[in-house]
Amino acid sequence: MFPMLTVLSMFYYICLRRRSRSGTRSEALGSRRAVELGQRAVLPISVEVEQYVKEVLDFSSHYGSENSMSYTMWNLAGVPNVYPSSGDFTQTAVFRTYGRWWEQCTSATQAFRRTPQAFHSQDYMELAFEEPVYPTAVEVLETYHPGAIVQILACSHNPFSQNPPADVRWEVLWAGQPSKALTPQARQFSPNIRQLGFATNLLRLEVNSSLLDYYTELDAVILRGVRERPILALYKMPIIDISDLSDSEDEATDVGLPCRQARDAKQNLGNGYFDKLPYELIQLIVSHLTLPDLCRLAQSCKLLQQHCCDPLQYVQLSLQPYWSRLSDASLAHLQGRCTLLQRLNLSWTGNRGAVTAAGFCSFTKACGQSLVCLELSCCHFLSEACLEVIAQTCRCLQELNLSSCDRLHPQAFNHIAKIPRLRRLVLYRTKIEQTAILNILTFCAELRHLNLGSCVMVEDYDVVASMLAARCRFLSSLDLWRCHNLTERGLSELVSGCRLLEELDLGWCSTLQSSSGCFQHLARCLPHLRKLFLTANRTVCDADVEELANCCPALQHLDILGTRMVGPASLRKLLQSCPKLLLLDVSFCSQIDSRVVQELLGLFPNVAIKKSFTQ
């Protein structure tokens, strides 16, 4: 009983000390009201400013072409083009993917361990506004299949300032989980946002479209705010933290001998039961922590520091969730722990000078010898020197993702040819030229997955297709999305040489003509085909679909959006002949109306048949 009374007396004493310094909650609330009333009496009411996007600065992907405005992120600049209308409009901003279809493909990457549960983002866009303001509201005009936005952030840096930023801060205004609206109709999304301590004219929207039934479309973003800092943002009410009742060693001394005796007894116990646990078991427990928690735990005691700094905990490392905080100093701090690193994800990191080419090269030289997977999507700090270091250091590299690294000089890509073990290469939205890609295909014959989507600097895709057929006969997936000059000759050589292809994306390759028989030849040459996108090819006809039904029984995903020459009978035969089919997009197919779609859905309920609309 006596020890319990002693503990209660200590707690009561400390509470009294803290209360005498901080004041009661009622006093604090009274002070806050006084501040509010005083400010209302002497300050004029701030005028709220409404702004539309002035410029789209950066984004991770879009459905559209690099040479047009249809379905591109650049449509977010300015006033609405479509809203309040609902439906599929070319004047909106659309991301490259939706749903979980892409995760089911053979070209999908293995997920990284230790990704925080709160990190849901798959794509992003960064939007600049004319005038920095203290935000009061952010409104997003969603015109089709809303619900993809999972996070809105604000930046302290003015992108139109001529002075380089000394310290760039990103603050979360709002965050949520992936969702899906009840209907695909247009809506105005305006979540409750946090107050900021700085003015901003740079917002970042992050999205996750995995739960959506079709592509989400955004029309405009509105930033509302005031020019003067709100007075309530300046005032912080004192809060008593029950987990931190002691402010200094003086209070611990005032408590007296019992506290010191308890501390001495604790020191004599060593590491307690942790000393009795096998090293491997503690390693297994620690392996479930996220990276920030791992770093915090390392500061608790020497035993756990040893476990948290063990290189085995850093065989896989995804730094993408921490893109806003990662810097050269962060990489230098992690460098000593990553000597066994095999898989590294730096996607989205380092922009606006937080990570430099020199910092990345130093980390790669120290930790890249065992790398087999390197994700560098949207890393705008990359330079030719960085790719040279990757080629020299990462001799075991099998997977390299440079998606949307659109600021890399075309000459830099030649260094990739020095990585002969590459099996997966993503060059979506890069400025790679024909000479570099031919050089890569010459020396990287083990390629299994290649993404050249929206690579507009390649002059002749027929030559690339011919080289693929000759050098990469074990190719499993190939993305040629919006490759504008591939002809029937190149496609014929490709499918004749790469007969193990399971995925082929020829979306928006408008130069291919069905009348040449190229699509029927494709079906006959690729019996293992599981995914085929012929998006927006107006010439696809019934004979092509019937040949797919005859020759490709493993087909799971087919997109024939926009064709005028496919009717219900051939689709019915396809659905009967391809029992594994999961996705069929017939949007804007003039012979396939909503009545036909409903009839087919009734006969084949396991297939997601997509038919978009325009109001």
Side-chain angles (χ1 to χ4, degrees):
M1 179 65 73
F2 177 76
M4 179 62 69
L5 290 174
T6 303
V7 172
L8 290 174
S9 301
M10 292 162 51
F11 181 81
Y12 182 69
Y13 173 78
I14 296 171
C15 284
L16 287 178
R17 289 284 301 271
R18 176 60 62 89
R19 181 174 178 178
S20 66
R21 289 194 309 273
S22 301
T24 65
R25 178 174 175 81
S26 61
E27 291 171 5
L29 289 173
S31 301
R32 179 172 177 173
R33 292 192 190 99
V35 171
E36 292 179 13
L37 292 172
Q39 292 301 323
R40 288 183 188 133
V42 299
L43 288 181
I45 298 175
S46 296
V47 178
E48 189 175 62
V49 178
E50 177 186 282
Q51 302 180 80
Y52 289 94
V53 176
K54 179 180 180 181
E55 185 178 346
V56 178
L57 299 179
D58 192 21
F59 53 89
S60 54
S61 76
H62 60 181
Y63 187 89
S65 167
E66 302 302 296
N67 299 323
S68 75
M69 290 295 291
S70 297
Y71 297 121
T72 64
M73 288 297 132
W74 300 303
N75 284 319
L76 284 172
V79 299
N81 298 308
V82 172
Y83 187 86
S85 297
S86 300
D88 191 341
F89 292 94
T90 60
Q91 304 97 317
T92 58
V94 186
F95 287 100
R96 178 69 183 85
T97 62
Y98 73 94
R100 299 191 182 276
W101 315 110
W102 280 259
E103 300 171 6
Q104 300 167 358
C105 296
T106 52
S107 58
T109 57
Q110 177 187 351
F112 277 78
R113 294 185 313 179
R114 280 206 171 97
T115 301
Q117 293 183 354
F119 181 75
H120 306 293
S121 305
Q122 296 176 335
D123 277 295
Y124 75 87
M125 67 192 91
E126 291 185 1
L127 312 172
F129 298 81
E130 179 69 36
E131 181 181 357
V133 294
Y134 293 91
T136 56
V138 176
E139 299 171 4
V140 185
L141 306 184
E142 302 172 279
T143 54
Y144 200 39
H145 287 277
I149 298 171
V150 293
Q151 192 159 236
I152 303 175
L153 302 99
C155 186
S156 61
H157 172 56
N158 184 344
F160 303 121
S161 172
Q162 299 300 318
N163 301 320
D167 179 31
V168 177
R169 291 170 51 205
W170 286 93
E171 296 287 344
V172 176
L173 292 176
W174 173 86
Q177 295 186 348
S179 64
K180 180 177 73 172
L182 297 177
T183 70
Q185 303 295 326
R187 75 171 185 181
Q188 178 176 297
F189 179 60
S190 183
N192 293 324
I193 63 173
R194 294 177 48 209
Q195 281 194 344
L196 278 185
F198 56 81
T200 185
N201 62 338
L202 174 55
L203 296 183
R204 178 180 172 116
L205 275 60
E206 297 184 352
V207 305
N208 181 316
S209 304
S210 62
L211 299 183
L212 301 187
D213 293 328
Y214 206 59
Y215 297 97
T216 188
E217 300 191 8
L218 311 178
D219 191 16
V221 178
I222 305 170
L223 171 61
R224 301 183 188 275
V226 293
R227 296 183 177 92
E228 300 295 330
R229 186 174 184 180
I231 188 63
L232 293 183
L234 296 170
Y235 182 80
K236 291 186 178 180
M237 186 178 69
I239 299 175
I240 297 177
D241 186 355
I242 195 68
S243 66
D244 182 24
L245 289 174
S246 293
D247 283 341
S248 64
E249 288 296 323
D250 294 338
E251 288 197 351
T253 305
D254 292 342
V255 172
L257 185 61
C259 190
R260 286 198 299 273
Q261 290 176 339
R263 186 168 61 246
D264 294 339
K266 185 176 180 180
Q267 290 174 351
N268 293 334
L269 290 175
N271 295 309
Y273 288 105
F274 279 105
D275 286 331
K276 299 182 180 180
L277 292 177
Y279 189 90
E280 294 79 6
L281 181 57
I282 301 178
Q283 283 283 290
L284 178 62
I285 296 171
V286 170
S287 70
H288 293 280
L289 297 176
T290 62
L291 184 61
D293 289 337
L294 199 65
C295 294
R296 294 185 189 106
L297 186 63
Q299 302 175 37
S300 60
C301 69
K302 290 184 178 180
L303 174 68
L304 292 178
Q305 183 188 39
Q306 179 185 359
H307 283 281
C308 293
C309 296
D310 192 315
L312 289 173
Q313 294 292 334
Y314 301 86
V315 174
Q316 293 190 39
L317 184 61
S318 178
L319 297 174
Q320 181 182 7
Y322 318 108
W323 62 265
S324 63
R325 290 177 280 168
L326 195 74
S327 64
D328 282 349
S330 308
L331 292 178
H333 177 75
L334 291 168
Q335 191 166 297
R337 310 180 186 190
C338 297
T339 54
L340 301 179
L341 186 62
Q342 294 181 11
R343 302 185 72 231
L344 174 63
N345 184 1
L346 285 172
S347 295
W348 303 3
T349 63
N351 299 335
R352 294 185 175 80
V355 174
T356 64
F360 171 80
C361 290
S362 175
F363 182 83
T364 304
K365 289 176 182 177
C367 308
Q369 290 82 0
S370 302
L371 272 180
V372 295
C373 174
L374 182 56
E375 301 281 337
L376 296 171
S377 173
C378 304
C379 289
H380 300 311
F381 61 83
L382 290 175
S383 65
E384 182 176 353
C386 295
L387 291 195
E388 185 177 7
V389 167
I390 292 172
Q392 292 173 350
T393 307
C394 309
R395 307 301 297 175
C396 301
L397 197 63
Q398 297 180 15
E399 300 181 37
L400 178 61
N401 183 358
L402 297 172
S403 172
S404 290
C405 293
D406 53 349
R407 302 174 196 178
L408 264 174
H409 192 275
Q411 186 68 26
F413 296 96
N414 284 304
H415 294 286
I416 299 175
K418 304 170 188 174
I419 315 175
R421 297 187 185 180
L422 269 183
R423 299 172 68 90
R424 174 175 167 266
L425 178 60
V426 181
L427 297 172
Y428 167 73
R429 285 192 67 237
T430 61
K431 294 178 179 176
I432 189 169
E433 294 179 344
Q434 184 166 312
T435 304
I437 189 61
L438 293 178
N439 196 22
I440 292 170
L441 296 180
T442 300
F443 295 99
C444 300
E446 295 184 23
L447 274 175
R448 299 293 186 272
H449 308 284
L450 178 62
N451 188 332
L452 294 175
S454 292
C455 292
V456 297
M457 304 285 283
V458 178
E459 298 89 353
D460 190 346
Y461 272 99
D462 282 351
V463 176
V464 174
S466 179
M467 181 65 80
L468 280 166
R471 297 290 300 166
C472 302
R473 292 186 172 271
F474 297 100
L475 198 65
S476 177
S477 72
L478 177 62
D479 191 331
L480 297 177
W481 176 262
R482 293 188 180 274
C483 295
H484 53 87
N485 54 29
L486 179 69
T487 69
E488 297 83 2
R489 180 179 62 84
L491 180 60
S492 178
E493 285 192 55
L494 173 69
V495 298
S496 298
C498 301
R499 291 179 175 265
L500 297 180
L501 272 173
E502 296 181 20
E503 299 177 27
L504 182 57
D505 193 332
L506 300 172
W508 296 87
C509 295
S510 56
T511 50
L512 296 172
Q513 297 295 315
S514 172
S515 58
S516 68
C518 62
F519 297 135
Q520 295 176 51
H521 179 62
L522 178 156
R524 289 191 290 268
C525 289
L526 303 179
H528 306 290
L529 197 62
R530 296 170 59 186
K531 171 187 170 182
L532 177 63
F533 274 31
L534 300 174
T535 315
N537 191 303
R538 316 296 182 191
T539 68
V540 175
C541 63
D542 285 328
D544 300 323
V545 174
E546 290 174 2
E547 198 68 17
L548 287 170
N550 294 331
C551 302
C552 304
L555 196 64
Q556 296 181 0
H557 304 152
L558 177 62
D559 186 341
I560 54 172
L561 176 149
T563 181
R564 305 184 182 94
M565 304 173 68
V566 171
S570 61
L571 287 184
R572 190 176 289 108
K573 180 179 179 179
L574 177 80
L575 290 162
Q576 291 170 343
S577 304
C578 300
K580 297 181 180 180
L581 197 65
L582 299 173
L583 172 67
L584 176 61
D585 196 334
V586 293
S587 299
F588 300 109
C589 293
S590 55
Q591 295 189 42
I592 311 298
D593 57 24
S594 298
R595 180 186 56 80
V596 173
V597 171
Q598 291 303 317
E599 179 185 337
L600 294 176
L601 284 172
L603 295 173
F604 305 95
N606 295 327
V607 183
I609 303 177
K610 306 299 181 182
K611 177 74 173 176
S612 64
F613 70 89
T614 300
Q615 188 181 69

